[in-house]
């Protein structure tokens, strides 16, 4: 059905940027939680181990260089992906070419 095709190729215009911004916000919030200093009662977690590794790899500058790298990949990767989706939308929603028998006979 045309309505479902139209919805599939049109809703991404709004939903794709919302999803990307939601992912980036989740990364930021997760990093903030992982940076909190653990209390004595809390066991050492995998997140704490990963943050220690990130600090070691970035020379003790924290998680912002790592998070900034992910953000840069998203910022520079989003436009090509989005334009590819727009091209697919244009191709799928374009009217079908008219095949005139009279034009074929010429």
């Amino acid at each position: 059905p045309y309505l479902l095709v139209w919805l599939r190729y049109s809703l991404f215009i709004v939903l794709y940027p919302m999803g990307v911004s939601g992912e980036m916000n989740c990364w930021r919030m997760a990093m903030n939680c992982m940076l909190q200093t653990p209390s004595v009662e809390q066991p050492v977690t995998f997140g704490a181990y990963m943050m220690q590794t990130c600090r070691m790899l970035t020379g003790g500058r924290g998680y912002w260089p790592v998070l900034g790298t992910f953000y840069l990949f998203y910022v520079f990767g989003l436009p090509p992906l989005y334009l590819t989706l727009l091209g697919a939308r244009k191709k799928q929603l374009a009217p079908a070419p008219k095949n005139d028998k009279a034009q074929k006979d010429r």
Side-chain angles (χ1 to χ4, degrees), residues 20-53:
V20 168
S21 62
E23 285 180 6
M24 293 172 77
N25 195 31
C26 283
W27 284 352
R28 184 187 57 80
M29 290 171 39
M31 289 292 199
N32 284 337
C33 288
M34 288 184 359
L35 269 185
Q36 292 175 352
T37 55
S39 63
V40 178
E41 302 88 35
Q42 290 179 337
V44 177
T45 61
F46 180 72
Y49 172 74
M50 289 303 294
M51 279 313 304
Q52 182 182 1
T53 305

Side-chain angles (χ1 to χ4, degrees), residues 14-98:
V14 175
L15 296 177
Y16 193 71
M18 284 175 52
V20 168
S21 62
E23 285 180 6
M24 293 172 77
N25 195 31
C26 283
W27 284 352
R28 184 187 57 80
M29 290 171 39
M31 289 292 199
N32 284 337
C33 288
M34 288 184 359
L35 269 185
Q36 292 175 352
T37 55
S39 63
V40 178
E41 302 88 35
Q42 290 179 337
V44 177
T45 61
F46 180 72
Y49 172 74
M50 289 303 294
M51 279 313 304
Q52 182 182 1
T53 305
C54 285
R55 282 191 189 119
M56 188 173 59
L57 291 175
T58 60
R61 289 184 299 255
Y63 69 95
W64 283 110
V66 176
L67 189 59
T69 304
F70 282 120
Y71 280 176
L72 282 176
F73 279 120
Y74 260 69
V75 167
F76 290 117
L78 179 65
L81 293 174
Y82 198 73
L83 291 174
T84 300
L85 290 172
L86 284 175
R89 179 183 188 271
K90 182 178 179 182
K91 182 179 174 184
Q92 290 294 327
L93 297 181
K98 295 181 180 178

